[in-house]
Amino acid sequence: MAAVGEVGVSLFALERAHTGGPGLIVLSGVAHDLTDPANPDVLAPATLDALRQFVRHGTR
């Protein structure tokens, strides 16, 4: 589980890396730690989709 400070550091790192995109967005059906609320042992499908999209755009 990521602490609030860790999230802030991650956002700062992304900003410093000059990443593009929509910025901070809300992922529906995702718990605060990016897991699936119905199955907290795995990342939520929306989390995985967002990560895939981020990687796809970051490798161009």
Side-chain angles (χ1 to χ4, degrees):
M1 180 170 85
V4 173
E6 293 170 349
V7 171
V9 169
S10 298
L11 292 174
F12 177 74
L14 289 172
E15 180 181 89
R16 296 282 298 181
H18 303 290
T19 58
L24 189 61
I25 59 170
V26 175
L27 300 175
S28 298
V30 178
H32 70 280
D33 59 356
L34 304 178
T35 60
D36 184 344
N39 187 3
D41 293 329
V42 299
L43 291 174
T47 300
L48 295 172
D49 290 342
L51 288 171
R52 286 184 193 107
Q53 183 177 5
F54 177 77
V55 169
R56 205 170 26 248
H57 289 285
T59 57
R60 287 185 181 177

